[in-house]
Amino acid sequence: MIQPEFKPLIVILSDKLFRIPEYQRHYSWQSRQRHELFEDIKKLELAREKYDERTHFMATIVCLKTKDKEQVGSNTFYIYDVVDGQQRLTTLVILLKSISLKLESDHQLDEAKELNKLLVKDDGRLIILQNNHDNRLILRNYLKDGQKPEISSIRTIADKNISQAIKDCEKFVNAHPNAVKLLALVKNYLYFIFQSLEDKGAVYTIFEVLNSRGLDVDWLDKCKSLLMGLLYEYASSPESNDLFSQHLNELHGYWSDIYREIGLQNIPGHEIIRFAATLKEESGAGRPLSAEDTLEFFKNDCIKLSGNDLIINKIIENTVWLKEITSCLSRLYADKRRNAVTDITQARLLAVAIMLRKDLREEERDRLLEQWERTSFKIFGLFRKDARTKVGEYVRAAKKIRKDANANVDDLLNSISGIGSDFPVETAVEELNKHDFYRSASQFCKTHVENCPLR
């Protein structure tokens, strides 16, 4: 393991090409995180007016040094896979391009040319070789040509995040009176701890240690590092290095699929892991597991078995399960027609449980989903109950549907409709009809709910 080094940004970016693997999360920083970064730069600038030796520590960047390298002219660039720090690194690269554009508009052409050579090599290679998922073209066009995305080209959450990052960075740069001075601050006085690793497995143990320090890391990312760390612990040995690489590549493929789904829909990472663990755990508890308890659940679920092969299989099984949960949630979040009921967490959990019943025929799953929609619409639409209502009933119904293979479709329909038994539709319609404004809407609601004989 190479010892960590304390370096300014310009040194970290020199003689390296960074690659963000497909199995990493898409660019997900929001304006809040970028604003905090910009505030750090402003504070550094003020501090240096009094103490000209002042620097600012930004964060840790952890990379896997690969065996790949690129020859560009007479220069050799080593390729590093970014393990931790990709959000900040991507933002700073966008910020540097924004400064380059400002330098060009201010006729500081030599400074702009030198900066552009850092970001885009002579043969057209970017300092970030591969930005993961569907926003890679937006970043490429901006770094190479300063081209901002058209609204029509923004199709995913990942696209939106990158596009907004470009706007935020340009706004910050354009508000600064001196682009050369700003460039000097960013390049030379923002410092990082740069940790370069050469062992693929050790990457995840390092990442898990970083996660345990209370940093702002998504719960899904923590779950990934936990499972990957367990794989390294139980599958890595000199005698089985090839087999470990096969397992690692298999998991990377699953995580690529997971993050691709998240890039399409803004699915909270904590919800994915909480739903996954809640539907797997055996207790009859009527509340979803917390994010913290979920990590403990998955760890225990993997290592409770005896024998490394069984543990490895369980790690893979749980990763595939997370992928299936993500896919179901992605379809729910994309279903605009059902927004009124999918806004409720426990309702989403029950819908996911129904969607996961692959042993049922498609028409049977559709009947269950229709009953789920009517019941949920009655409670949260007609009666306007808040998200604290019927949590236990929804969770227990979800577990029953997930685990009770002996229950027939009619039993399951009754379980779902029973959740709303305390809310007769006639009462809601009578209340709504007291207000003429709601008369036509309430009649529609009554029809919508009463179409199902098992309401």
Side-chain angles (χ1 to χ4, degrees):
M1 181 185 296
I2 299 173
Q3 291 298 313
E5 300 173 280
F6 190 58
K7 295 181 175 182
L9 179 63
I10 185 60
V11 176
I12 290 174
L13 297 181
S14 300
D15 72 21
K16 300 179 189 67
L17 295 173
F18 294 96
R19 184 167 59 195
I20 302 176
E22 289 283 354
Y23 57 83
Q24 293 282 26
R25 174 181 290 276
H26 61 84
Y27 181 75
S28 57
W29 261 21
Q30 304 295 308
S31 292
R32 176 181 63 82
Q33 289 98 336
R34 289 186 290 271
H35 176 74
E36 290 171 356
L37 172 63
F38 301 153
E39 287 299 308
D40 286 341
I41 296 173
K42 290 178 183 178
K43 290 175 183 176
L44 172 62
E45 185 172 21
L46 290 174
R48 286 186 54 78
E49 292 176 359
K50 297 180 179 179
Y51 311 101
D52 60 4
E53 296 300 316
R54 179 67 58 88
T55 61
H56 181 77
F57 170 64
M58 294 297 293
T60 299
I61 296 176
V62 181
C63 291
L64 174 68
K65 185 178 182 181
T66 71
K67 296 179 180 179
D68 302 328
K69 56 187 177 181
E70 297 286 347
Q71 196 73 30
V72 181
S74 61
N75 298 312
T76 300
F77 295 92
Y78 294 91
I79 298 178
Y80 291 78
D81 283 350
V82 181
V83 176
D84 186 46
Q86 69 123 324
Q87 306 288 334
R88 194 177 303 273
L89 186 61
T90 302
T91 304
L92 286 167
V93 167
I94 293 172
L95 180 62
L96 288 173
K97 181 60 183 180
S98 300
I99 294 174
S100 166
L101 294 174
K102 183 67 163 59
L103 289 168
E104 290 176 359
S105 70
D106 291 347
H107 305 291
Q108 300 282 348
L109 300 183
D110 290 340
E111 290 282 0
K113 183 178 179 181
E114 182 180 349
L115 182 53
N116 283 331
K117 286 182 67 175
L118 176 69
L119 302 176
V120 183
K121 308 309 176 187
D122 290 340
D123 63 350
R125 298 174 192 270
L126 305 183
I127 193 165
I128 295 184
L129 280 182
Q130 179 183 1
N131 190 249
N132 48 341
H133 309 299
D134 296 330
N135 54 6
R136 69 188 70 181
L137 189 58
I138 292 177
L139 185 63
R140 169 172 286 277
N141 288 342
Y142 186 67
L143 294 185
K144 287 191 71 175
D145 306 315
Q147 178 183 333
K148 293 182 276 292
E150 299 288 339
I151 294 177
S152 60
S153 68
I154 300 174
R155 299 185 178 90
T156 68
I157 299 298
D159 292 344
K160 181 180 178 181
N161 291 340
I162 284 285
S163 177
Q164 188 60 49
I166 292 171
K167 292 179 183 178
D168 289 349
C169 287
E170 290 196 350
K171 181 179 179 181
F172 173 69
V173 170
N174 290 330
H176 196 281
N178 189 324
V180 174
K181 185 177 179 181
L182 178 59
L183 176 61
L185 280 171
V186 174
K187 283 199 316 180
N188 303 320
Y189 301 108
L190 295 184
Y191 271 69
F192 297 79
I193 292 177
F194 183 74
Q195 174 73 67
S196 175
L197 306 171
E198 296 182 348
D199 184 340
K200 286 184 179 180
V203 162
Y204 297 101
T205 56
I206 291 287
F207 192 50
E208 192 170 356
V209 169
L210 292 172
N211 288 345
S212 68
R213 293 178 181 172
L215 302 178
D216 186 15
V217 180
D218 187 272
W219 285 102
L220 183 64
D221 296 339
K222 292 183 180 183
C223 190
K224 180 183 78 170
S225 66
L226 168 70
L227 293 172
M228 290 294 200
L230 289 174
L231 180 71
Y232 175 62
E233 181 178 351
Y234 289 96
S236 178
S237 69
E239 299 80 20
S240 61
N241 193 52
D242 289 343
L243 185 60
F244 168 67
S245 294
Q246 291 176 22
H247 291 316
L248 189 63
N249 290 335
E250 181 180 0
L251 291 191
H252 282 169
Y254 296 140
W255 283 104
S256 295
D257 293 340
I258 289 171
Y259 285 128
R260 190 173 294 109
E261 293 275 12
I262 293 175
L264 296 173
Q265 303 294 332
N266 194 17
I267 309 170
H270 68 84
E271 183 169 302
I272 294 171
I273 65 170
R274 291 179 69 203
F275 280 19
T278 298
L279 291 175
K280 279 201 82 171
E281 62 114 13
E282 298 297 331
S283 79
R287 297 193 68 82
L289 289 179
S290 68
E292 294 92 338
D293 290 343
T294 288
L295 294 185
E296 192 66 22
F297 168 82
F298 278 120
K299 181 177 181 180
N300 292 335
D301 191 53
C302 290
I303 65 175
K304 68 183 179 183
L305 303 171
S306 58
N308 285 10
D309 289 344
L310 292 177
I311 292 174
I312 293 167
N313 288 336
K314 180 61 74 169
I315 293 168
I316 295 172
E317 173 192 306
N318 280 327
T319 305
V320 172
W321 178 239
L322 288 165
K323 176 177 175 291
E324 291 176 351
I325 295 287
T326 304
S327 179
C328 290
L329 282 170
S330 179
R331 279 147 51 200
L332 277 178
Y333 274 82
D335 189 348
K336 304 302 181 186
R337 184 180 70 81
R338 288 173 166 155
N339 271 355
V341 290
T342 54
D343 277 349
I344 307 300
T345 301
Q346 59 267 31
R348 288 197 299 275
L349 177 67
L350 179 53
V352 166
I354 295 169
M355 296 165 75
L356 288 167
R357 280 293 297 264
K358 297 176 182 177
D359 58 313
L360 297 176
R361 297 192 304 274
E362 184 176 355
E363 57 268 27
E364 291 174 328
R365 281 199 304 275
D366 287 343
R367 286 178 64 197
L368 293 176
L369 284 171
E370 286 171 6
Q371 182 61 68
W372 159 79
E373 184 178 2
R374 295 182 192 282
T375 298
S376 300
F377 183 77
K378 181 169 65 169
I379 297 171
F380 302 107
L382 285 178
F383 279 86
R384 303 182 185 181
K385 294 298 180 180
D386 62 29
R388 297 169 295 180
T389 304
K390 294 290 183 178
V391 174
E393 288 81 352
Y394 270 96
V395 171
R396 283 187 283 271
K399 290 182 176 181
K400 176 181 176 66
I401 288 172
R402 159 71 184 145
K403 297 175 182 177
D404 192 352
N406 296 321
N408 60 39
V409 173
D410 287 338
D411 291 336
L412 299 179
L413 285 167
N414 284 322
S415 295
I416 298 170
S417 64
I419 298 172
S421 60
D422 297 342
F423 302 96
V425 68
E426 293 80 9
T427 302
V429 172
E430 289 172 7
E431 187 63 29
L432 289 175
N433 278 338
K434 294 178 183 178
H435 309 280
D436 290 340
F437 179 79
Y438 294 110
R439 186 175 300 278
S440 58
S442 67
Q443 186 58 46
F444 167 78
C445 295
K446 179 180 180 182
T447 303
H448 182 76
V449 175
E450 287 187 340
N451 278 341
C452 178
L454 291 172
R455 63 186 177 85

